[in-house]
């Protein structure tokens, strides 16, 4: 649990500053679950340049509560939380100073979004909050006011969590959490899980990830894990002490993250899933008459395939569908291996070369259209799907036929500007599994929004 906050002060000498405004958002890693926002009477004058910067003046604070009047609420909302702030050393120091004046020792762990941003989003022109979020396309209103800056920090931290592909933030957080009794452990883990689409991580006590999975309903899937009585499930039940999760909103993003995270972390109980998930691939070749032919065979990593399939039956189903959709010949599609004309020619329903004696150049236009629409070859595009919140959408970036990564956006200008788009994208590895996952998902989800990018973008 995190307490993401921002503090405005009077300015002045070191450790003599007073708080003029505070905003705290309690964040569980996915949603804001509580908040506290208040002006504070610092009982000392505000420096003129600070008043000009924030717009907060002495008159505004005359009737505001003094710090001792809001101290209890601050303690409550930050208990068992890690303090998160942009330049947290400043905000945390100011809080500790105010509490020490009351004779109370305020101690929390803290994370700094400046330091995290430099590690996870390198090469930004500036890491000041205003310039950083503007460069990432994150909305920011009421700059230099506690609530506006705290809300922007929440959105920035949410982005940083998705960028943290090594899961260092999560693992460190798990290590700091107080563990409850083992008796109600599994029930608690199920109760705490969301009924949302995403990826979940099972941890040992030291934070090590022992299992990674994905589901359209994480709570339901965990219930299955913890009620199964097979050997693997029982071992997981004994070892797991914490479950973290990442709400992806999109099932496609969950599939991609699960595949990448398993390969990256190599969890103890995911051994079977470390291998590639597809078996069959579609290849092309040109015959002696100049016609493009298609052939499905066992996937070979040494060859460039058009697309891949989980099994032969799935491949056959799509090949028949594409034969009709693109008016192609069954024989050239590899669906009819007989010596004579194909069956569709016999019943006068063949739309390919064998009935019309169509020139190869004309036939190949339709064959190339199938290749283009089914593969990534040299394409620049984004795939837009549902996001984690109602006002958010997810995006997958493909450039020059390579899967680049995933991200989330709220405003259309973020995806219309390629530089901002690349900034909000969490880089991921292009491999045959990722290509297979995307192509399979696109085949079965026709309502996905796919935007072709111009080469000169």
């Amino acid at each position: 649990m995190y307490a993401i906050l921002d503090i405005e002060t009077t300015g002045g000498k070191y450790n003599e500053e007073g708080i003029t405004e505070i905003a705290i958002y309690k964040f569980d890693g996915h949603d804001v679950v509580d908040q506290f926002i208040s002006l504070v009477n610092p009982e000392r004058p505000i420096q003129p340049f600070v008043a000009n910067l924030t717009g907060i003046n002495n008159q505004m604070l005359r009737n505001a509560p003094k710090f001792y009047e809001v101290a209890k609420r601050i303690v409550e909302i930050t208990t068992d939380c890690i303090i998160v702030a942009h330049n947290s050393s400043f905000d945390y120091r100011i809080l500790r100073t105010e509490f020490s004046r009351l004779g109370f020792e305020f101690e929390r762990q803290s994370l700094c979004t400046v330091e995290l941003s430099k590690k996870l989003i390198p090469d930004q022109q500036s890491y000041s909050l205003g310039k950083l979020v503007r460069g990432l396309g994150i909305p920011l209103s009421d700059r230099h006011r506690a609530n506006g800056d705290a809300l922007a920090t929440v959105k920035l931290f949410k982005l940083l969590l998705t960028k943290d592909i090594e899961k260092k933030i999560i693992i460190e957080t798990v290590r700091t959490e107080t563990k409850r009794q083992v008796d109600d452990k599994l029930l608690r883990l199920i109760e705490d899980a969301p009924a949302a689409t995403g990826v979940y991580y099972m941890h040992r006590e030291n934070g090590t990830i022992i299992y990674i999975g994905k589901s359209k309903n994480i709570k339901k899937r965990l219930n299955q894990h913890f009620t199964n009585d097979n050997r693997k499930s029982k071992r997981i039940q004994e070892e797991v002490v914490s479950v973290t999760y990442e709400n992806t909103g999109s099932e496609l993003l969950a599939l991609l993250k699960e595949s990448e995270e398993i390969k990256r972390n190599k969890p103890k109980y995911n051994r079977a899933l470390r291998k590639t998930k597809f078996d069959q691939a579609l290849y092309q070749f040109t015959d002696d008459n100049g016609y493009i032919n298609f052939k499905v065979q066992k996937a070979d990593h040494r060859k460039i395939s058009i697309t891949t399939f989980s099994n032969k039956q799935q491949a056959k189903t799509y090949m028949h569908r594409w034969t009709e959709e693109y008016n192609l010949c069954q024989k050239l599609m590899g669906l009819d291996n007989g010596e004579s004309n194909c069956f569709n020619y016999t019943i006068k329903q063949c739309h390919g070369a064998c009935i019309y004696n169509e020139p190869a150049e004309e036939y190949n236009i339709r064959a190339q259209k199938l290749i283009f629409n089914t593969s990534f070859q040299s394409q620049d595009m984004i795939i837009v799907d549902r996001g984690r919140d109602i006002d958010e959408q997810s995006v997958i970036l493909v450039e020059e036929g390579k899967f680049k990564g995933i991200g989330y956006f709220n405003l259309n200008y973020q995806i219309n500007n390629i530089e901002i788009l690349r900034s909000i994208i969490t880089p991921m590895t292009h491999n045959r599994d990722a290509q297979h996952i995307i192509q399979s998902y696109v085949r079965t989800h026709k309502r996905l929004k796919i935007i072709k990018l111009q080469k000169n973008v």
Side-chain angles (χ1 to χ4, degrees):
M1 195 71 74
Y2 307 93
I4 302 177
L5 59 82
D6 186 79
I7 291 172
E8 301 300 331
T9 71
T10 59
K13 293 182 180 179
Y14 185 84
N15 273 359
E16 291 184 6
E17 310 100 322
I19 294 176
T20 59
E21 188 177 35
I22 185 168
I24 305 175
Y25 286 90
K26 192 170 186 177
F27 183 65
D28 65 3
H30 313 279
D31 300 296
V32 171
V33 296
D34 195 5
Q35 65 184 59
F36 173 68
I37 304 159
S38 180
L39 290 169
V40 180
N41 185 340
E43 301 183 87
R44 65 200 68 202
I46 302 173
Q47 297 292 310
F49 82 92
V50 175
N52 290 332
L53 181 68
T54 65
I56 301 172
N57 56 50
N58 295 310
Q59 184 66 27
M60 289 171 59
L61 304 179
R62 176 177 293 179
N63 297 318
K66 297 178 175 63
F67 184 79
Y68 74 85
E69 296 177 275
V70 299
K72 182 179 178 181
R73 178 68 174 126
I74 294 172
V75 170
E76 289 174 346
I77 198 171
T78 61
T79 296
D80 296 329
C81 289
I82 296 173
I83 297 291
V84 178
H86 206 69
N87 190 13
S88 62
S89 60
F90 171 80
D91 297 82
Y92 185 42
R93 175 181 66 81
I94 296 295
L95 266 182
R96 285 177 60 90
T97 300
E98 288 280 18
F99 275 108
S100 69
R101 291 170 184 156
L102 301 178
F104 180 85
E105 190 160 347
F106 183 83
E107 287 191 0
R108 302 285 188 269
Q109 291 192 317
S110 65
L111 286 172
C112 179
T113 51
V114 175
E115 295 176 8
L116 290 172
S117 297
K118 288 179 178 179
K119 292 178 182 178
L120 299 173
I121 317 176
D123 303 322
Q124 294 296 301
Q125 290 185 347
S126 171
Y127 288 91
S128 69
L129 183 62
K131 292 180 180 178
L132 178 60
V133 298
R134 186 160 50 248
L136 297 172
I138 295 173
L140 172 59
S141 59
D142 294 329
R143 179 73 175 110
H144 296 301
R145 290 296 299 268
N147 189 38
D149 288 357
L151 269 175
T153 306
V154 170
K155 293 172 183 176
L156 173 62
F157 187 62
K158 200 171 183 179
L159 172 62
L160 292 171
L161 285 174
T162 65
K163 288 273 192 181
D164 183 25
I165 56 179
E166 300 290 340
K167 291 291 170 278
K168 290 182 179 179
I169 299 174
I170 294 296
I171 290 174
E172 288 300 319
T173 301
V174 170
R175 286 175 180 164
T176 65
E177 290 177 344
T178 302
K179 307 299 184 296
R180 301 183 187 176
Q181 295 298 314
V182 176
D183 296 343
D184 67 342
K185 176 185 69 175
L186 300 181
L187 180 61
R188 171 179 60 85
L189 294 177
I190 294 172
E191 288 177 347
D192 290 346
T197 299
V199 179
Y200 55 92
Y201 306 81
M202 296 187 185
H203 303 261
R204 285 198 189 100
E205 189 170 2
N206 64 358
T208 302
I209 299 171
I210 60 172
Y211 185 83
I212 298 173
K214 65 87 190 168
S215 178
K216 294 173 72 174
N217 186 324
I218 294 174
K219 182 186 289 287
K220 183 177 180 180
R221 185 70 186 100
L222 286 182
N223 188 59
Q224 293 170 345
H225 277 297
F226 298 154
T227 54
N228 284 341
D229 59 359
N230 58 58
R231 180 181 298 179
K232 175 181 172 181
S233 294
K234 285 183 176 179
R235 288 180 177 176
I236 289 176
Q237 291 162 21
E238 290 173 0
E239 293 187 41
V240 64
V241 297
S242 177
V243 177
T244 60
Y245 64 92
E246 185 169 345
N247 180 2
T248 62
S250 161
E251 184 184 9
L252 175 55
L253 266 67
L255 287 164
L256 289 167
K257 284 197 70 68
E258 178 198 35
S259 176
E260 171 129 328
E261 297 287 4
I262 289 173
K263 288 180 175 62
R264 182 185 302 278
N265 292 281
K266 297 180 173 57
K268 177 179 179 181
Y269 295 109
N270 283 109
R271 289 173 183 167
L273 296 179
R274 296 178 195 173
K275 302 175 182 178
T276 55
K277 298 178 180 179
F278 62 87
D279 182 57
Q280 302 295 313
L282 177 64
Y283 299 96
Q284 70 178 86
F285 66 93
T286 303
D287 63 23
D288 294 339
N289 296 317
Y291 291 94
I292 293 175
N293 286 235
F294 296 94
K295 184 177 183 180
V296 173
Q297 63 186 48
K298 191 172 181 62
D300 186 344
H301 70 277
R302 296 168 297 181
K303 300 179 181 178
I304 299 176
S305 64
I306 298 171
T307 190
T308 50
F309 306 95
S310 298
N311 51 61
K312 285 187 177 181
Q313 184 56 48
Q314 184 189 63
K316 189 174 181 180
T317 298
Y318 277 100
M319 293 296 281
H320 278 290
R321 185 179 301 175
W322 291 332
T323 298
E324 296 182 6
E325 183 177 348
Y326 294 95
N327 292 333
L328 299 175
C329 175
Q330 283 190 338
K331 292 184 75 67
L332 301 183
M333 289 290 284
L335 295 172
D336 189 327
N337 298 319
E339 294 294 331
S340 59
N341 293 320
C342 70
F343 174 74
N344 278 350
Y345 174 79
T346 305
I347 61 174
K348 308 300 182 185
Q349 291 184 5
C350 179
H351 300 291
C354 60
I355 183 172
Y356 299 118
N357 194 25
E358 185 178 24
E361 293 79 5
E362 295 180 17
Y363 179 87
N364 288 348
I365 291 174
R366 298 196 302 278
Q368 288 287 2
K369 187 176 180 181
L370 166 61
I371 296 169
F372 182 81
N373 290 339
T374 311
S375 72
F376 287 170
Q377 292 182 13
S378 302
Q379 294 192 50
D380 296 316
M381 64 182 182
I382 58 175
I383 302 170
V384 179
D385 201 1
R386 61 168 45 183
R388 299 161 296 189
D389 303 311
I390 193 168
D391 63 341
E392 179 183 74
Q393 290 181 289
S394 61
V395 61
I396 291 170
L397 176 63
V398 175
E399 289 188 287
E400 297 182 357
K402 303 293 185 182
F403 167 53
K404 294 296 184 180
I406 62 176
Y408 297 92
F409 68 96
N410 298 89
L411 303 170
N412 283 332
Y413 83 84
Q414 291 175 275
I415 61 167
N416 292 331
N417 184 317
I418 191 64
E419 293 306 321
I420 292 180
L421 177 59
R422 288 181 180 135
S423 295
I424 63 176
I425 286 292
T426 300
M428 294 181 71
T429 305
H430 174 82
N431 53 44
R432 297 174 72 88
D433 276 340
Q435 181 172 318
H436 172 70
I437 289 168
I438 296 172
Q439 291 175 333
S440 296
Y441 196 86
V442 170
R443 282 200 298 262
T444 55
H445 295 75
K446 297 297 185 181
R447 294 185 179 181
L448 277 178
K449 184 178 181 181
I450 300 176
I451 302 173
K452 304 290 185 179
L453 300 176
Q454 297 298 321
K455 284 285 186 180
N456 60 355
V457 172

